[in-house]
Amino acid sequence: MRATDQRVSEGCIFCKIAAGKIPVERIAENEELLAFPDIDPQAPVHVLIIPKKHVTSLKEVSDWGLIGRMHQFAVKVAEQKGIAQSGYRVLINTGLNGVQTVLHLHLHLLGGRVMRWPPG
Ligand code: 5GP
Ligand code: ZN
């Protein structure tokens, strides 16, 4: 691990969820990633996928393979949630204009209804 890598960010809500300090339905997980339901779902299926290791946002990613693995994980979770056939949206909000409100990298998986475009 490089000196700049952070494993846990103090006070980070998603780090606490990853560590099991805040209980959530652990929809799927492996050594690196965790999927759990969004607390304020915007669609019938709204799952968040996070790296267990703290990364603040897309801008701080150093291992770009992580982004691929998060998407591959989302595809599996979509199958598990029964929305693979009907389709879904995956997205990562970043920065102020992207309206990223939790500063721990997360991918949204949304499905179970037709998504609107353009997004608000
Ligand atoms: P952002 O706007 O940063 O892309 O999305 C953050 C998401 O995290 C929001 O959709 C919000 O509802 C969700 N969220 C915030 N706090 C919690 C929490 O404590 N538990 C869960 N499960 N989701 C949360
Ligand atoms: Zn964190």
Side-chain angles (χ1 to χ4, degrees):
M1 191 170 85
R2 294 189 326 207
T4 51
D5 283 346
Q6 284 181 279
R7 294 237 150 231
V8 174
S9 178
E10 290 300 323
C12 171
I13 194 131
F14 286 1
C15 280
K16 287 179 183 161
I17 287 172
K21 290 177 186 160
I22 297 173
V24 291
E25 180 198 349
R26 299 174 87 92
I27 294 170
E29 69 180 304
N30 61 25
E31 205 173 276
E32 179 180 41
L33 304 172
L34 171 67
F36 58 97
D38 195 293
I39 203 168
D40 181 21
Q42 301 302 311
V45 175
H46 188 172
V47 177
L48 300 175
I49 292 165
I50 62 167
K52 292 180 175 176
K53 175 182 153 183
H54 185 84
V55 177
T56 303
S57 85
L58 198 57
K59 293 180 291 177
E60 282 77 27
V61 170
S62 55
D63 168 17
W64 288 102
L66 170 66
I67 300 302
R69 292 189 295 278
M70 288 172 76
H71 281 79
Q72 186 179 27
F73 203 73
V75 168
K76 284 186 189 160
V77 172
E79 284 166 7
Q80 191 180 324
K81 299 298 280 183
I83 57 169
Q85 289 302 315
S86 52
Y88 47 84
R89 182 172 290 170
V90 293
L91 63 94
I92 297 173
N93 294 323
T94 307
L96 278 178
N97 280 1
V99 194
Q100 181 180 0
T101 59
V102 176
L103 295 180
H104 179 129
L105 177 67
H106 52 282
L107 183 151
H108 294 258
L109 168 65
L110 295 141
R113 67 165 171 84
V114 178
M115 296 297 134
R116 286 177 288 274
W117 192 265

